[in-house]
């Protein structure tokens, strides 16, 4: 979106007429009109004043994208309350052992409670481990991140979080050769209804999520995966910031690969990215 479009957008969002904005800037209404049609551009001083009056950053006014505050943690849960449930499983095991004095019964109680938390609750405990951080000069990521996780990973990663064994690595933008953004579509669309053995399947889209990630290739041919699935939550910070992150990375003179045209789609946060991609694939 152009600067002229952004001036119109944020002026209307603040419920200001061209005349009201002009009076606040001590300029003529015609000047505002010329900015909004692209005939003229605001001076530096007027841009600074506009960002204050419209209550947005200069980045957002000029590019239409939210301002990046560094470091930006992508995918990190906002609170640690779910971890208390994991600690409760340990306490449960201790209580069972204290009451029964049976070590095997305590292990069984802990195992059942732990598996129920990890596999049967909707919360993804891996997020405490797999999140990554975008910085001004590089990216911090977990040293053993994968594009896909198996059942053993699902079991062990929450334990690594509890005992603070998360290990990270750091890659500078100068070390990066290319970045690819990729969403792995399933063979069938989980949001569609499919007939199997004469029965209609439910909408599975609410239960399973496609893998979505950046694939970073460094200049020494190392591959790094950065999870992007937190984008799927409509009100998440990650959904709001992904387009800005992509624009930031592109300005780093790094080859950016986007075979699915995702960068353009995520500019509109109201659309369903997976729905668009499935429709394009299945045409």
């Amino acid at each position: 979106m152009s600067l002229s479009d952004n001036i119109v957008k944020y002026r209307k969002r603040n419920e200001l007429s061209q005349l009201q904005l002009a009076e606040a800037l001590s300029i003529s209404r015609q000047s505002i009109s010329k900015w909004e049609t692209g005939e003229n551009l605001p001076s530096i001083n007027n841009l600074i004043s506009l960002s204050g009056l419209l209550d947005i950053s200069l980045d957002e006014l000029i590019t239409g994208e939210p301002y990046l505050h560094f470091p930006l943690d992508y995918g990190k849960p906002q609170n640690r309350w779910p971890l208390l449930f994991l600690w409760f499983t340990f306490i449960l095991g201790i209580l069972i052992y204290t009451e029964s004095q049976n070590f095997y019964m305590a292990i069984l109680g802990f195992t059942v409670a732990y598996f129920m938390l990890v596999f049967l609750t909707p919360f993804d405990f891996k997020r405490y481990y797999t999140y990554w951080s975008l910085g001004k000069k590089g990216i911090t990521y977990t040293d053993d991140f994968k594009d896909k996780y198996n059942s053993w990973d699902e079991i062990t990663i929450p334990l690594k979080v509890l005992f603070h064994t998360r290990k990270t690595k750091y890659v500078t933008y100068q070390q990066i050769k290319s970045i690819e953004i990729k969403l792995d579509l399933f063979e069938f669309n989980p949001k569609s209804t499919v007939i199997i053995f004469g029965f209609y399947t439910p909408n599975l889209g609410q239960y399973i999520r496609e893998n979505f990630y950046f694939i970073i290739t460094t200049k020494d041919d190392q591959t790094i995966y950065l999870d992007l699935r937190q984008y799927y939550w409509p009100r998440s910070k990650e959904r709001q910031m992904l387009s800005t992150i992509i624009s930031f990375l592109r300005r780093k003179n790094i080859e950016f690969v986007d075979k699915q045209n995702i960068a353009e789609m995520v500019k509109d946060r109201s659309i369903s990215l997976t729905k668009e991609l499935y429709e394009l694939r299945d045409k």
Side-chain angles (χ1 to χ4, degrees):
M1 188 176 289
S2 65
L3 173 59
S4 59
D5 292 333
N6 289 334
I7 294 174
V8 176
K9 172 184 174 181
Y10 293 113
R11 174 177 62 77
K12 291 181 177 179
R13 180 176 293 180
N14 284 271
E15 299 180 348
L16 294 171
S17 66
Q18 287 186 344
L19 182 59
Q20 289 172 321
L21 185 57
E23 289 176 347
L25 292 169
S26 300
I27 59 176
S28 67
R29 187 196 65 80
Q30 287 77 14
S31 295
I32 300 294
S33 178
K34 289 181 179 179
W35 293 349
E36 294 186 351
T37 59
E39 187 176 343
N40 282 340
L41 293 175
S43 66
I44 296 296
N45 289 335
N46 280 328
L47 278 174
I48 294 171
S49 298
L50 273 172
S51 69
L53 287 169
L54 302 178
D55 195 28
I56 54 175
S57 67
L58 275 174
D59 278 43
E60 194 165 3
L61 175 61
I62 295 171
T63 67
E65 298 172 346
Y67 180 70
L68 274 174
H69 295 275
F70 298 104
L72 186 147
D73 292 328
Y74 191 104
K76 185 178 182 180
Q78 298 300 305
N79 61 68
R80 300 181 67 84
W81 283 105
L83 293 180
L84 294 179
F85 292 100
L86 289 180
W87 281 115
F88 175 75
T89 61
F90 284 97
I91 296 172
L92 178 65
I94 293 172
L95 290 175
I96 293 174
Y97 178 73
T98 302
E99 291 295 324
S100 65
Q101 294 297 308
N102 187 320
F103 176 76
Y104 296 105
M105 184 65 70
I107 291 295
L108 177 63
F110 162 74
T111 302
V112 170
Y114 183 77
F115 271 65
M116 289 180 66
L117 277 174
V118 172
F119 290 106
L120 300 182
T121 56
F123 187 83
D124 184 4
F125 289 96
K126 295 194 304 300
R127 287 172 49 205
Y128 287 107
Y129 187 86
T130 60
Y131 72 89
W132 50 276
S133 301
L134 187 80
K136 291 183 178 180
K137 297 183 177 181
I139 298 171
T140 302
Y141 61 98
T142 52
D143 64 347
D144 57 351
F145 190 85
K146 306 175 183 178
D147 58 336
K148 296 180 182 178
Y149 287 94
N150 56 36
S151 298
W152 178 247
D153 295 320
E154 297 281 352
I155 295 171
T156 58
I157 286 178
L159 294 175
K160 292 179 181 179
V161 174
L162 284 181
F163 295 105
H164 301 283
T165 60
R166 180 178 187 263
K167 296 179 180 180
T168 60
K169 288 186 178 180
Y170 181 76
V171 59
T172 66
Y173 300 120
Q174 292 181 339
Q175 294 174 306
I176 297 174
K177 179 170 63 177
S178 68
I179 299 178
E180 179 178 2
I181 187 168
K182 185 179 180 184
L183 192 150
D184 291 335
L185 297 175
F186 298 122
E187 292 186 9
F188 71 99
N189 185 343
K191 293 185 180 296
S192 63
T193 302
V194 181
I195 300 177
I196 300 178
F197 299 116
F199 295 95
Y200 288 94
T201 64
N203 182 337
L204 299 176
Q206 57 186 314
Y207 304 111
I208 56 177
R209 294 290 184 179
E210 295 83 353
N211 285 323
F212 184 30
Y213 43 82
F214 281 135
I215 306 173
I216 294 177
T217 303
T218 63
K219 292 178 180 177
D220 59 358
D221 292 325
Q222 178 188 1
T223 302
I224 302 167
Y225 293 95
L226 302 179
D227 190 11
L228 298 176
R229 284 178 298 173
Q230 193 61 22
Y231 170 86
Y232 292 137
W233 278 255
R235 298 183 180 179
S236 67
K237 169 193 68 177
E238 289 79 4
R239 190 182 187 96
Q240 179 185 8
M241 298 303 300
L242 182 55
S243 180
T244 306
I245 292 171
I246 292 172
S247 296
F248 171 78
L249 293 173
R250 280 179 155 172
R251 293 197 293 267
K252 292 297 179 182
N253 196 29
I254 298 170
E255 179 187 0
F256 191 83
V257 181
D258 184 9
K259 298 176 182 178
Q260 297 165 294
N261 198 30
I262 292 172
E264 192 63 32
M265 295 182 189
V266 298
K267 288 180 180 179
D268 184 353
R269 296 191 293 272
S270 66
I271 71 169
S272 170
L273 178 61
T274 52
K275 179 182 177 181
E276 293 288 325
L277 289 176
Y278 277 116
E279 288 179 353
L280 288 171
R281 187 197 68 179
D282 296 337
K283 279 184 179 179

